[in-house]
């Protein structure tokens, strides 16, 4: 039996779309597979390898501009590393925090800085410290027996 001409066209169209779809899928999978791991910003990694994953292998507070600091920190049960930070008044600190074990919190009471620290992820929060004083950074996610003692201080002077 001969197919109606229109049916034939649709059949060819349908089969072509299917192939096109498979090609697009194959190509994008291939391209994604080829992408070197450092071509995009590090946003997720193996939490068991925090101590060997830059920048978290070296937790540090560093000056990145006038009145601007970056704090690379690791939260762990039960503390934060580096454990004491000090910046001049008027500084904006960009916190970049990960956890080497479980989910922790990162809250600076009296400010808007409040986030969850998820292992395997880079968690960001920024705050401008205008008033001199001692600011507490506390964990507000229950993380184990010493959860309530998990804190550190940022000194603004
Ligand atoms: Cu860390 Cu609670």
């Amino acid at each position: 039996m001969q197919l109606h001409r229109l049916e034939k066209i649709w059949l060819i169209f349908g089969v072509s779309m299917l192939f096109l779809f498979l090609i697009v899928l194959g190509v994008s999978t291939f391209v994604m597979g080829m992408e070197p791991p450092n071509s995009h910003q590090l946003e997720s990694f193996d939490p068991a390898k925090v101590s060997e994953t830059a920048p978290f292998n070296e937790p540090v507070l560093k000056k990145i501009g006038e009145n601007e600091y970056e704090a690379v920190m690791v939260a762990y049960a039960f503390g934060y590393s580096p454990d004491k930070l000090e910046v001049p008044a008027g500084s904006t600190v960009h916190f970049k925090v990960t956890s080497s074990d479980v989910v922790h919190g990162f809250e600076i009471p009296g400010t808007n800085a409040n986030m969850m620290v998820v292992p395997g992820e880079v968690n960001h929060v920024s705050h401008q410290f205008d008033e001199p004083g001692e600011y507490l950074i506390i964990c507000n996610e229950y993380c184990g027996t010493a959860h309530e003692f998990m804190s550190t201080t940022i000194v603004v002077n």
Side-chain angles (χ1 to χ4, degrees), residues 75-80 101-105 138-144 146-151:
Y76 57 90
F78 301 96
Y80 299 89
D101 41 47
V102 297
V103 172
H104 293 284
I138 60 164
C139 179
N140 56 7
E141 293 282 333
Y142 182 76
C143 56
H147 156 71
E148 60 208 277
F149 304 110
M150 180 170 169
S151 70

